[in-house]
Amino acid sequence: MNDLLAQLADLAPDLFEQTGITLWLVAASLVIGGIGGLVVGTAITVTRRGAILEQPVVYWILNALVNTIRPIPFIIFLVALQPLARVVVGRGIGNEAIIFTLSIAATFGIARIVEQNLVTVDPGVIEAARSVGASPWRIIRTVILREGLGPLILGYTFATVSIIDMSAVAGVAGGQGLGNYALAYGYRQFDDVVTWSALIIIIVITQFVQGFGNVLARRILRR
């Protein structure tokens, strides 16, 4: 027991550093991908047939993009986008390249979540807003997004947990974080203490994110 505690004390600085890197990767990707996903998902919702801004061509292009990119396994997507990452962020490996790729993957994953939640908004509420002369932009902002806010929070919570999951393969492209730390210093060096320490921290982060999302969504839905 004393040996375990001593090993954990030695690992603490590295675990603290890698936890910070993981939170940075996830937070940056969630902000960029979250905004992108909200824009794309809302655009798909309002341009579909019979919606307030019906545009079949725009809807078809956006829907095809989401259907094409979203199912690609992230580890393959990470390698495939290295050339584009070099152009945009100046390097194809490292944490910046990981954030770039995570953000794009999150954008199209979140876009589908946003669309699936916004199409459940009662058409009668939208029709009532149209009947009093509200503009399409005002209906999107004050009716569609507002009515769908609770489910959207749950959807973003799910997306955050998925981004934490995807960040675990950051080491493939020279990135860091708890996932890479567990694989590089735990699994490959047969050190179970490292592996389980990183795993427990990931579980704690995931539980916190899920719990916070559930509480926030519950409060919004009860308003």
Side-chain angles (χ1 to χ4, degrees):
M1 187 64 180
N2 289 337
D3 291 342
L4 176 60
L5 292 176
Q7 188 175 356
L8 287 173
D10 290 338
L11 292 174
D14 288 337
L15 287 170
F16 183 77
E17 180 185 8
Q18 297 304 319
T19 300
I21 292 172
T22 296
L23 294 176
W24 173 47
L25 292 176
V26 172
S29 304
L30 181 64
V31 170
I32 299 171
I35 294 172
L38 182 63
V39 171
V40 175
T42 303
I44 292 175
T45 304
V46 299
T47 57
R48 64 195 309 127
R49 186 183 298 277
I52 57 173
L53 290 174
E54 180 179 339
Q55 291 288 338
V57 175
V58 175
Y59 171 79
W60 186 88
I61 292 173
L62 293 177
N63 197 48
L65 273 174
V66 172
N67 284 341
T68 302
I69 295 177
R70 193 171 67 96
I72 300 175
F74 181 68
I75 193 168
I76 298 174
F77 196 59
L78 185 59
V79 175
L81 254 63
Q82 272 192 324
L84 184 58
R86 289 192 189 95
V87 173
V88 177
V89 300
R91 53 190 304 184
I93 61 173
N95 292 330
E96 290 78 8
I98 298 297
I99 290 173
F100 172 75
T101 312
L102 268 174
S103 299
I104 294 180
T107 292
F108 292 97
I110 291 174
R112 186 60 80 204
I113 292 172
V114 169
E115 181 215 1
Q116 289 174 346
N117 284 296
L118 294 187
V119 294
T120 64
V121 174
D122 185 359
V125 179
I126 298 173
E127 208 45 51
R130 294 177 79 170
S131 68
V132 297
S135 66
W137 168 242
R138 187 169 184 181
I139 293 174
I140 292 170
R141 185 168 50 85
T142 62
V143 178
I144 297 177
L145 292 179
R146 186 169 182 175
E147 291 292 322
L149 185 57
L152 279 179
I153 290 173
L154 291 175
Y156 272 84
T157 302
F158 175 81
T160 305
V161 175
S162 296
I163 294 173
I164 294 172
D165 182 20
M166 290 189 288
S167 73
V169 299
V172 172
Q176 296 175 292
L178 288 168
N180 175 64
Y181 186 67
L183 290 171
Y185 298 96
Y187 175 70
R188 291 173 189 158
Q189 297 186 18
F190 306 101
D191 192 331
D192 291 337
V193 176
V194 171
T195 304
W196 278 97
S197 298
L199 178 62
I200 289 170
I201 294 174
I202 291 173
I203 291 173
V204 170
I205 293 173
T206 303
Q207 293 298 317
F208 175 79
V209 169
Q210 188 66 59
F212 179 74
N214 289 345
V215 171
L216 189 59
R218 196 178 303 124
R219 288 188 178 181
I220 296 294
L221 290 169
R222 284 179 178 173
R223 286 190 312 185

